[in-house]
Amino acid sequence: MKVTTVLATAALVMGVSAQSNGSPLAPVPNNLLWPRPQKFTSGTSDHTFSPVGVDITIVAVNGNQGALERAADRFRANVLSVGCDAQSNTGDISQVTVTVTGTDPKDLAQADESYTLNTSASGVTITANHTVGALRGLETLAQLVKPVQKLPFHAGPWSITDKPSYSWRGISLDTSRNYIPVSSILRTLDGMSATKLNVLHWHIVDATSFPVVSKTYPDLSNAAYSKLSIYSYADVQNVIAYAADRGIRVVPEFDTPAHTNALSFSKALAPYILCPNGGAGGTTSFWPTCPEPPCGNVNIADPNAAPAISALVKEYAALFTDSVFHMGGDEIENFCLNQSPQFTDIVFGKGAAVPATGTPAWQKGLASSYQKYADAVRPAGKTAMYWEDIVINDGVTVPAGSIIQIWNSWDNAAQKNSLQKVLDLNSKGAGYKIVDTNNDYYYLDGGSGAWLTDRGFGPGGDSWKEDYWTKYKTWERVYTHDPRKSRQENTTDTDGTGLAGPLVGDLSAIIGAEAAIWGERISDSNLDVKLWPRAAAVAEALWSADAFPDPTAKDFFEALPRLEVFRDRLIARGFGAETFQPAWCRSNQCGAAFSGYPAGLAYGNQKPEFW
Ligand SMILES: *[C@@H]1O[C@H](CO)[C@@H](O)[C@H](O)[C@H]1NC(C)=O
Ligand SMILES: *[C@@H]1O[C@H](CO)[C@@H](O)[C@H](O)[C@H]1NC(C)=O
Ligand SMILES: *[C@@H]1O[C@H](CO)[C@@H](O)[C@H](O)[C@H]1NC(C)=O
């Protein structure tokens, strides 16, 4: 069997780009492409090529010739993986030409991911300004081959003009709560590449374990789960190189000052880590010292703490080459600090009355010591990234241009609607960039119930985590969430899920989003099923956002068949991706029978738990 792709000499018959609100998008022939290109036209007849026999010419004078040649090899393998005949070495299409016209920037963050892809009877051309655009184009070309070779194609020639709507399209991977082997990280990068995600936010360490070698404090490896659960420098460099080859950035997170029990395993750092095991103020549990065990908060008032932590940040800022470095900054442990004389003696004076947490006097003392700490540990020459808590809850100001990552949307008055709150800070001149990881939409690890220790603690009692971020987020839910077009959270709504009006402010500050896969109940054995293909739903929502004026009006029946075809590719590439419908629907057009929703059902007005 020859590999049939969707290429032809016939006239272009179809133009597809952004459609008006609510009207169905023109179909993608054979449901081939995910994410949907910004603009494409396609014809009416087929062409074939052989992944073995086709000549792939790379012209990248000022691009990365090596990366593109390796991508071309992967392209051949990916096409073969979906069931094509390796023996065939003929086809109508004999030539694929990939041209990079510009000079790659040193910083992948500055690279242009746009590309054009044209097919004709004789050949395919992919043109991009930068290498990363050509990589995206090769993934698109691989998707022009239908996985299940059952039906003829009626779709060539193709002309595709494509670029991402959001520049930051990430996955946040937690490798601390449970160790994730390097092989699973590399596989995750392959999936990201397939769906044009471009940032691996490596939440590499946390309170629970410290799975990366430190040359500054080698005894931090005592906080790894085992000798086999430690990333060496070579492992990290391997992940970074593998990602870069696929046009993916690796942004590490070394979270402080909270979430730092693991740092107390180093003799040099232990004196600066307060309440590593919870139990502040004579309490017997982790709660209320911190929301999840173990605890640990750097004594941000101790003048020796910042230089000690800074040495570690400096080490990893050199190891991780990306221009962005995530400093953490979430969930400061107020109760811990409040009950620790090592902190309060310095901030409020020895023997002085300590104001209660939450009072203006407490907030002032916290903010002044936290500000000094944050300023002292920031890596030179990099853009710092933080969870929103530091600027929304803790009164710290970080440099303009810093990236604030939004995670919190549950019914916490201080942090609810925090994306809007960061936009409000920007209106007053803060100059922050924003990455959305709203836990009501993007926390993909949920769906297994709360972790045993999470039950019965925290605001709202034992249901809070189950109701919000441990809940399974359906693909429809993540697919219809667009960070710029999402709505403000209703701050007076008591169940934590209500929505209000549109976001207000300069929405261009919102550069993208990340799907998060927290590690409490994740290991390499269930990573794929939790991530895929829902992370791909996030990928299309971010890459193709401009094609959907109203994200809440997306047509699930248009999207799901394409998502299922994309899943076929993931399965062919060795992923344990979940399915979203009975296979019966694949040939019985489930969508056609039910197309359209009941009149008047406005999805954007539903509570998110609707799906
Ligand atoms: C390349 O850069 C030019 C100039 O910025 C831009 O117009 C074009 O869309 C970019 N992408 C491609 C694929 O040419
Ligand atoms: C692809 O076709 C489009 C539309 O005809 C054209 O604008 C573009 O320059 C072509 N690109 C390449 C690489 O041939
Ligand atoms: C916010 O929620 C409250 C309480 O449920 C409700 O009365 C109010 O109408 C909501 N506001 C908006 C703008 O939806």
Side-chain angles (χ1 to χ4, degrees):
M1 174 172 54
K2 281 195 292 188
V3 174
T4 305
T5 182
V6 277
L7 315 171
T9 52
L12 306 181
V13 294
M14 197 189 297
V16 178
S17 59
Q19 304 285 310
S20 63
N21 188 354
S23 75
L25 294 170
V28 178
N30 292 293
N31 297 312
L32 291 176
L33 295 169
W34 192 282
R36 170 182 279 275
Q38 299 284 1
K39 283 186 189 155
F40 67 87
T41 56
S42 58
T44 54
S45 55
D46 308 342
H47 278 277
T48 61
F49 77 96
S50 156
V52 179
V54 73
D55 181 56
I56 303 179
T57 303
I58 312 283
V59 185
V61 179
N62 295 310
N64 189 337
Q65 185 84 21
L68 286 165
E69 278 166 10
R70 289 186 290 278
D73 289 344
R74 290 198 301 277
F75 165 78
R76 291 179 199 275
N78 287 335
V79 170
L80 288 170
S81 76
V82 294
C84 299
D85 182 0
Q87 303 312 312
S88 163
N89 61 1
T90 56
D92 308 342
I93 303 290
S94 57
Q95 180 68 40
V96 173
T97 306
V98 180
T99 308
V100 175
T101 55
T103 303
D104 283 341
K106 282 209 172 67
D107 181 3
L108 196 47
Q110 306 303 321
D112 179 353
E113 295 180 274
S114 69
Y115 68 93
T116 62
L117 187 163
N118 292 347
T119 69
S120 72
S122 57
V124 175
T125 56
I126 295 174
T127 306
N129 292 317
H130 296 150
T131 299
V132 62
L135 293 170
R136 305 293 178 252
L138 275 168
E139 284 289 354
T140 300
L141 184 60
Q143 292 191 6
L144 294 181
V145 180
K146 198 176 181 202
V148 183
Q149 301 281 311
K150 229 173 156 183
L151 301 167
F153 308 118
H154 307 279
W158 289 86
S159 179
I160 297 174
T161 305
D162 205 6
K163 64 174 185 194
S165 296
Y166 284 102
S167 62
W168 190 290
R169 306 176 312 279
I171 287 178
S172 171
L173 181 67
D174 172 2
T175 58
S176 171
R177 290 186 174 89
N178 280 295
Y179 179 76
I180 303 289
V182 171
S183 58
S184 291
I185 300 175
L186 301 185
R187 191 174 67 256
T188 300
L189 289 166
D190 285 332
M192 293 175 70
S193 167
T195 192
K196 300 183 172 67
L197 290 166
N198 70 340
V199 181
L200 176 68
H201 167 178
W202 193 351
H203 186 90
I204 190 165
V205 302
D206 206 295
T208 40
S209 78
F210 200 94
V212 59
V213 162
S214 170
K215 294 183 178 172
T216 314
Y217 304 113
D219 54 356
L220 278 173
S221 290
N222 295 334
Y225 286 131
S226 81
K227 286 192 172 130
L228 298 176
S229 310
I230 301 175
Y231 306 111
S232 65
Y233 265 41
D235 288 337
V236 170
Q237 285 156 347
N238 182 19
V239 167
I240 293 170
Y242 194 92
D245 237 25
R246 288 151 182 77
I248 299 170
R249 304 165 55 186
V250 178
V251 173
E253 180 185 350
F254 286 86
D255 192 1
T256 76
H259 289 261
T260 43
N261 162 70
L263 296 185
S264 71
F265 282 61
S266 161
K267 277 206 175 69
L269 294 176
Y272 309 120
I273 308 302
L274 303 174
C275 328
N277 296 307
T283 55
T284 54
S285 156
F286 66 90
W287 179 258
T289 306
C290 69
E292 179 178 303
C295 302
N297 201 102
V298 174
N299 185 358
I300 49 180
D302 185 331
N304 297 319
I309 300 293
S310 185
L312 199 61
V313 170
K314 203 169 165 190
E315 173 182 358
Y316 293 125
L319 177 62
F320 287 87
T321 48
D322 197 84
S323 58
V324 173
F325 193 95
H326 201 312
M327 307 292 302
D330 59 316
E331 298 186 309
I332 193 92
E333 293 166 15
N334 278 291
F335 185 73
C336 162
L337 295 175
N338 187 267
Q339 298 295 314
S340 300
Q342 305 97 305
F343 176 78
T344 55
D345 283 358
I346 297 171
V347 176
F348 300 102
K350 208 173 168 101
V354 176
T357 59
T359 60
W362 171 260
Q363 287 299 125
K364 191 163 170 246
L366 175 78
S368 68
S369 54
Y370 200 170
Q371 184 72 53
K372 280 184 215 138
Y373 172 82
D375 291 345
V377 298
R378 192 173 297 126
K382 300 228 177 195
T383 299
M385 184 160 176
Y386 298 92
W387 298 106
E388 85 263 24
D389 315 38
I390 188 170
V391 294
I392 296 296
N393 288 6
D394 305 329
V396 175
T397 303
V398 298
S402 297
I403 301 169
I404 306 300
Q405 184 168 15
I406 308 296
W407 68 278
N408 211 330
S409 74
W410 53 284
D411 203 14
N412 165 345
Q415 247 164 287
K416 200 161 162 60
N417 208 17
S418 49
L419 198 156
Q420 180 60 55
K421 287 173 183 165
V422 177
L423 288 171
D424 294 345
L425 292 175
N426 280 352
S427 301
K428 294 179 209 143
Y432 300 145
K433 300 259 188 289
I434 300 170
V435 167
D436 188 5
T437 306
N438 182 321
N439 62 44
D440 266 343
Y441 298 91
Y442 289 125
Y443 278 24
L444 300 187
D445 53 293
S448 304
W451 174 34
L452 190 58
T453 303
D454 283 342
R455 298 199 176 117
F457 295 95
D462 61 4
S463 66
W464 67 308
K465 284 196 169 181
E466 288 175 8
D467 280 357
Y468 301 112
W469 62 79
T470 68
K471 181 172 172 170
Y472 180 86
K473 314 299 188 298
T474 63
W475 77 268
E476 294 96 325
R477 181 170 170 138
V478 300
Y479 184 58
T480 48
H481 191 70
D482 179 317
R484 285 182 195 141
K485 292 172 192 153
S486 63
R487 292 160 61 193
Q488 295 183 36
E489 287 156 11
N490 181 345
T491 46
T492 57
D493 192 17
T494 48
D495 77 358
T497 55
L499 298 172
L503 296 170
V504 176
D506 176 8
L507 306 187
S508 70
I510 305 170
I511 58 173
E514 289 177 5
I517 191 89
W518 296 106
E520 283 89 345
R521 309 209 31 178
I522 298 291
S523 72
D524 59 319
S525 63
N526 66 346
L527 179 63
D528 284 4
V529 76
K530 290 287 191 178
L531 262 182
W532 305 109
R534 286 182 298 154
V538 175
E540 175 162 300
L542 297 173
W543 177 280
S544 320
D546 294 332
F548 300 100
D550 179 359
T552 62
K554 283 176 182 169
D555 181 352
F556 298 151
F557 294 113
E558 186 283 325
L560 185 53
R562 279 190 300 116
L563 189 54
E564 288 282 341
V565 169
F566 179 74
R567 174 180 171 271
D568 289 342
R569 299 182 199 285
L570 289 174
I571 298 288
R573 295 187 193 189
F575 287 79
E578 73 177 315
T579 187
F580 296 133
Q581 64 182 2
W584 179 83
C585 291
R586 302 291 290 268
S587 50
N588 289 280
Q589 296 184 299
C590 286
F594 301 102
S595 65
Y597 295 105
L601 194 51
Y603 288 85
N605 293 328
Q606 297 290 332
K607 300 255 185 194
E609 66 264 31
F610 181 69
W611 53 55

